[in-house]
Amino acid sequence: MTVSSEPPATVVAGGLVYLDGDPVAQQRDLRLAGGVVAEVGEPGVRLAADGAALLDAGGKLVVPGLVDTHLHLWQTPLRGMTADLWAREYFHTVHPMSQYYTPEDMYWATYAGGLELLAHGVTQVFDYCHSVNSPEHADASLRGLRDAGIRATYGFGLFERESATYADRAHRLDDLARVTEAVAGEPLVDIALALDHAYDDQAVGLARELGLGISVHGNPVGLADQFAAAGALAPDVLWVHGNYASERELDALAASGASLSLTPDIEMGMGKPTAIFDRAVRRGIPIALGVDVVSYACADLLTQMRLAYALHRVIDGEKERARGHVPPHRDTDVPLVSTRDVVRWATTNGRRALGDRDHQGIRAGAPADLLLVETEPWGLSLGDPAGHLVLQTTSRDVDTVLVAGEVRVRGGRLVGIDGPEISARLAESRDRLLATRDLALSTH
């Protein structure tokens, strides 16, 4: 796919536009130009085309593109590999596979994974990469993100693998600086530091020097304390999971302005303490969402939104029963989370977590990253439009996806994509990876 740097102006006409704060979705036109929303029309008033391309959104719900803040795209060829595993079995099954990846494997995994996200309505992703085994691996992943045409932050991981060609830690950090310079000025791709289960003063210092965001697998007890003691907690930190964090650590995260990425399928499906959802919300920690491991779950953030909402209802119900309340009697803090909250987590909070703190929802100047949801044949459901998106929408309803004003999905299908070739390439990659693993195991 060729990604143009300056897509033509477009008027998205006749859609039911969801503006956070409005109780209903109203028919508005949007003018997109220069990769951003240039104008939001008044309800029921058509914008003049003035030479712009017209995109008919009649009857469709128009919402900000979804943002996945924690995903390991290198695992795309291994989809389903951990379906029946439990807890830490994942680390002993999937992670060793990364040592067998070639740069070519990384390209097809990242490219195909980016396209899968787009097909599910995700316009932006944090690709947290455990598999940066060489400069060539990093370059292949970045090329895959560019060719997919998704807005992406490439999380450059410092994870050691047996097959890695980096001479030492310093060589890895030098390459982090190299790729940061290589993408400088690109409209859709940027770089962040991805840390795993440990504080690294040298790496954090370099990331700050380079102006990079920092994402952390934050489950070890005491890790947030280490960051806080070093003065390293800040709004540019994206904490992930945090299931085992102490009360003091969560208070420190809340005070720092750091975001928290929660991945409902993994928190629930791998047996982690799910109380983090309630504990974080009550402290006002900005929550964003992610799929995490595509070797376990489908890269469908709509499903994660519904799971997050349902999980909060379960937590609320347990608390109410403990208080002796019987429905419809309830405390004023129940339910704690609304569908509108969940939509914010998956859209504007995601943007904030990945560094964009200025653009909330659909407004003039915001990136023209949009999702158009088909509402026919049943029509828009009653109640808040956020309720329709969270509880009535599936990936089958994804009709149109735009990134920086350029159409990536139309009529439910990826634009300009050779599906059979991608499928064949992924199958070749998967078969080779598994064969290489089996051979390595047989010789030990």
Side-chain angles (χ1 to χ4, degrees), residues 108 202 208 275 281:
W108 286 104
Q202 184 182 15
R208 293 268 159 76
V281 170

Side-chain angles (χ1 to χ4, degrees), residues 114-132:
L115 292 177
E116 183 180 12
L117 288 168
L118 290 168
H120 290 302
V122 175
T123 57
Q124 186 171 4
V125 63
F126 189 107
D127 177 18
Y128 195 113
C129 190
H130 302 101
S131 196
V132 189

Side-chain angles (χ1 to χ4, degrees), residues 8 26 42 109 193 251 305 388:
Q26 301 186 75
E42 294 298 320
L193 171 66
D251 287 342
M305 294 165 67
H388 185 98

Side-chain angles (χ1 to χ4, degrees), residues 79-412:
R79 293 168 75 242
M81 190 176 192
T82 65
D84 294 315
L85 299 186
W86 183 248
R88 295 192 65 82
E89 292 172 349
Y90 153 79
F91 294 102
H92 304 298
T93 303
V94 175
H95 275 227
M97 295 295 297
S98 72
Q99 66 188 299
Y100 307 126
Y101 273 66
T102 66
E104 187 76 357
D105 294 321
M106 292 301 297
Y107 172 79
W108 286 104
T110 308
Y111 173 57
L115 292 177
E116 183 180 12
L117 288 168
L118 290 168
H120 290 302
V122 175
T123 57
Q124 186 171 4
V125 63
F126 189 107
D127 177 18
Y128 195 113
C129 190
H130 302 101
S131 196
V132 189
N133 295 336
S134 72
E136 292 75 23
H137 284 68
D139 291 343
S141 294
L142 288 168
R143 186 161 52 90
L145 292 171
R146 292 187 191 101
D147 288 354
I150 192 168
R151 192 180 300 275
T153 297
Y154 179 62
F156 189 102
L158 305 181
F159 317 99
E160 298 295 340
R161 304 299 185 201
E162 289 184 12
S163 62
T165 64
Y166 291 108
D168 51 27
R169 189 75 155 189
H171 187 192
R172 281 185 179 275
L173 292 178
D174 286 344
D175 204 41
L176 171 60
R178 179 190 67 85
V179 297
T180 299
E181 183 179 0
V183 305
E186 290 195 20
L188 295 184
V189 178
D190 62 11
I191 307 294
L193 171 66
L195 286 177
D196 196 40
H197 301 137
Y199 177 71
D200 185 324
D201 189 65
Q202 184 182 15
V204 169
L206 176 62
R208 293 268 159 76
E209 180 184 330
L210 296 172
L212 305 182
I214 301 166
S215 189
V216 188
H217 269 140
N219 264 337
V221 176
L223 182 56
D225 281 337
Q226 294 177 40
F227 270 76
L233 286 180
D236 63 354
V237 171
L238 173 57
W239 210 258
V240 183
H241 304 311
N243 306 82
Y244 302 96
S246 68
E247 301 300 301
R248 180 181 64 252
E249 289 181 297
L250 290 181
D251 287 342
L253 282 172
S256 73
S259 295
L260 177 65
S261 179
L262 297 177
T263 62
D265 241 331
I266 299 304
E267 322 294 349
M268 298 166 68
M270 293 291 186
K272 299 177 185 293
T274 55
I276 183 61
F277 286 78
D278 183 77
R279 297 166 70 207
V281 170
R282 292 186 183 279
R283 284 174 167 82
I285 297 174
I287 291 175
L289 297 177
V291 167
D292 198 353
V293 289
V294 288
S295 58
Y296 178 83
C298 175
D300 174 9
L301 205 67
L302 287 164
T303 296
Q304 303 307 316
M305 294 165 67
R306 189 173 301 181
L307 284 172
Y309 183 72
L311 177 58
H312 271 281
R313 306 283 279 201
V314 170
I315 293 171
D316 284 340
E318 290 175 345
K319 288 191 172 186
E320 285 294 271
R321 287 190 292 275
R323 294 164 178 165
H325 295 171
V326 177
H329 303 290
R330 66 187 187 188
D331 276 358
T332 56
D333 65 341
V334 174
L336 179 62
V337 169
S338 69
T339 53
R340 191 168 283 252
D341 292 327
V342 174
V343 173
R344 291 191 191 104
W345 298 351
T347 56
T348 54
N349 278 18
R351 282 184 182 172
R352 177 193 185 280
L354 300 189
D356 185 352
R357 296 174 179 83
D358 298 325
H359 302 113
Q360 304 300 309
I362 298 174
R363 61 170 61 183
D369 298 353
L370 301 173
L371 165 61
L372 277 59
V373 173
E374 181 60 78
T375 63
E376 297 301 330
W378 322 117
L380 194 64
S381 61
L382 293 173
D384 195 306
H388 185 98
L389 189 63
V390 175
L391 298 173
Q392 305 291 332
T393 302
T394 72
S395 60
R396 291 186 62 182
D397 301 310
V398 172
D399 179 84
T400 302
V401 177
L402 299 98
V403 178
E406 198 161 333
V407 177
R408 302 285 184 235
V409 175
R410 185 63 173 152

Side-chain angles (χ1 to χ4, degrees), residues 421-439:
E421 181 190 10
I422 294 170
S423 179
R425 293 283 192 163
L426 283 180
E428 290 172 6
S429 180
R430 178 181 63 246
D431 292 347
R432 193 199 62 77
L433 289 166
L434 294 175
T436 305
R437 177 204 62 181
D438 292 345
L439 178 61

